[in-house]
């Protein structure tokens, strides 16, 4: 067989067709000889640099093959549009952020997201960090009808910044900050907000060592103490540290006749 241009392949009826003839799809690296190259300039012109960056980070782990699918970038574009609408009124351009407090469920989700995204960034798991931010934004959309609580808005922008720096800088400025968000400290989760069934387990990986801290908490008083767990349920070994190897070249899909 021979390679055909991936952009001209039509997907229908559970198969793939090129100029009416059936073709098969295989996965491999991008390249002109494979006729499956996607120009970043084209993606930037149509969707913007942040959308392209976010899509590449959301495709999957860096240490596995990840097929490129141009149509899937639309999902990341729509996510950023929803984020913008939560912060900014599209009709007036005014900021929708208010100083009212969020409800307890949304606050707990926020702190779980901070904890999870922080660990994901530390372990270079950008795709799961994106998924957590999408989940948080969906929840925020449901409660932000009268305005987005600042308590949610500020840490959300801080978590989004490593993935979408241009959008984050714009939102950060609209929140009233005069300096760049680049050097702002990452938000820290409140341990009391992470408690479920009286026990909280946190995993962190400073530098190349992973540490585990267990907190035994009183759900009623929401008071935690840093006592290690005891008994048969206590962990015997810490979790393995996250790999810090260099990311591989991102492969993409190619189509052959």
């Amino acid at each position: 067989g021979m390679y055909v241009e991936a952009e001209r392949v039509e997907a229908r009826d559970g198969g793939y067709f090129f100029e009416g003839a059936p073709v098969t799809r295989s996965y491999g690296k991008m390249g002109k000889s494979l006729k499956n190259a996607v120009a970043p300039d084209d993606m930037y012109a149509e969707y913007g640099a942040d959308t392209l960056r976010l899509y590449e980070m959301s495709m999957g782990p860096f240490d596995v093959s990840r097929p490129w699918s141009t149509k899937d970038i639309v999902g990341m574009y729509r996510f950023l549009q929803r984020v913008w609408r939560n912060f900014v009124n599209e009709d007036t351009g005014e900021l929708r952020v208010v100083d009212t407090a969020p409800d307890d469920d949304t606050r707990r989700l926020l702190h779980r997201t901070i904890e999870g995204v922080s660990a994901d960034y530390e372990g270079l798991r950008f795709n799961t960090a994106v998924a957590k931010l999408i989940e948080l934004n969906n929840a925020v959309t449901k409660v932000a009808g009268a305005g987005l609580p600042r308590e949610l808005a500020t840490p959300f922008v801080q978590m989004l910044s490593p993935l979408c720096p241009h959008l984050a800088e714009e939102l950060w400025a609209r929140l009233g900050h005069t300096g760049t968000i680049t050097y702002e400290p990452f938000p820290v989760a409140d341990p009391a907000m992470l408690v479920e069934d009286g026990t909280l387990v946190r995993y962190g990986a400073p530098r190349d060592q992973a540490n585990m801290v267990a907190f035994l908490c009183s759900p009623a008083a929401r008071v935690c103490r840093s006592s290690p767990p005891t008994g048969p349920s206590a962990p015997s070994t810490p979790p393995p540290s996250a790999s810090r190897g260099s990311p591989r070249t991102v492969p993409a899909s190619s189509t052959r006749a």
Side-chain angles (χ1 to χ4, degrees):
M2 60 178 292
Y3 289 103
V4 298
E5 294 183 20
E7 290 184 353
R8 297 174 57 189
V9 173
E10 178 186 3
R12 55 182 170 85
D13 302 328
Y16 299 93
F17 299 85
F18 177 76
E19 296 182 346
V23 295
T24 58
R25 183 174 69 172
S26 61
Y27 297 97
K29 295 182 179 180
M30 283 186 179
K32 291 184 178 179
S33 63
L34 302 178
K35 299 184 178 181
N36 67 346
V38 177
D41 290 348
D42 295 340
M43 296 292 99
Y44 162 76
E46 187 169 358
Y47 299 104
D50 277 350
T51 302
L52 175 60
R53 179 186 177 105
L54 185 65
Y55 171 65
E56 290 182 330
M57 295 298 100
S58 69
M59 290 173 65
F62 277 12
D63 57 350
V64 299
S65 297
R66 302 177 294 166
W68 176 277
S69 179
T70 301
K71 62 182 178 64
D72 290 342
I73 199 173
V74 177
M76 296 297 102
Y77 185 62
R78 291 173 178 170
F79 162 60
L80 294 183
Q81 286 180 317
R82 290 193 294 269
V83 170
W84 180 262
R85 288 194 294 267
N86 281 336
F87 280 80
V88 180
N89 186 308
E90 287 190 309
D91 296 326
T92 65
E94 295 180 355
L95 189 68
R96 298 186 64 254
V97 175
V98 295
D99 291 322
T100 58
D103 61 88
D104 289 342
D105 289 340
T106 307
R107 181 182 285 116
R108 287 182 181 278
L109 177 59
L110 168 66
H111 287 274
R112 289 200 301 268
T113 304
I114 293 173
E115 180 80 0
V117 170
S118 178
D120 287 341
Y121 282 159
E122 187 74 21
L124 303 182
R125 298 183 297 272
F126 301 110
N127 58 312
T128 54
V130 172
K132 291 179 176 66
L133 290 175
I134 292 175
E135 179 185 1
L136 177 60
N137 189 66
N138 290 341
V140 166
T141 302
K142 297 177 181 178
V143 300
L148 176 62
R150 189 176 298 273
E151 183 179 337
L152 303 175
T154 299
F156 187 94
V157 176
Q158 291 173 298
M159 289 187 286
L160 185 66
S161 178
L163 300 169
C164 303
H166 304 90
L167 175 60
E169 284 287 357
E170 175 66 23
L171 294 176
W172 191 249
R174 287 176 178 258
L175 287 173
H177 302 280
T178 56
T180 177
I181 193 177
T182 304
Y183 304 108
E184 290 293 324
F186 200 81
V188 178
D190 180 357
M193 292 287 102
L194 305 176
V195 177
E196 289 187 6
D197 299 326
T199 302
L200 167 66
V201 178
R202 299 173 59 196
Y203 294 92
R207 298 186 182 275
D208 294 321
Q209 182 180 5
N211 298 323
M212 181 176 67
V213 181
F215 293 88
L216 302 182
C217 306
S218 168
R222 293 182 181 176
V223 176
C224 299
R225 63 183 188 275
S226 56
S227 303
T230 58
S233 61
S236 57
T237 58
S241 59
S243 172
R244 294 179 176 270
S246 301
R248 302 191 312 170
T249 302
V250 178
S253 61
S254 59
T255 308
R256 293 191 299 180

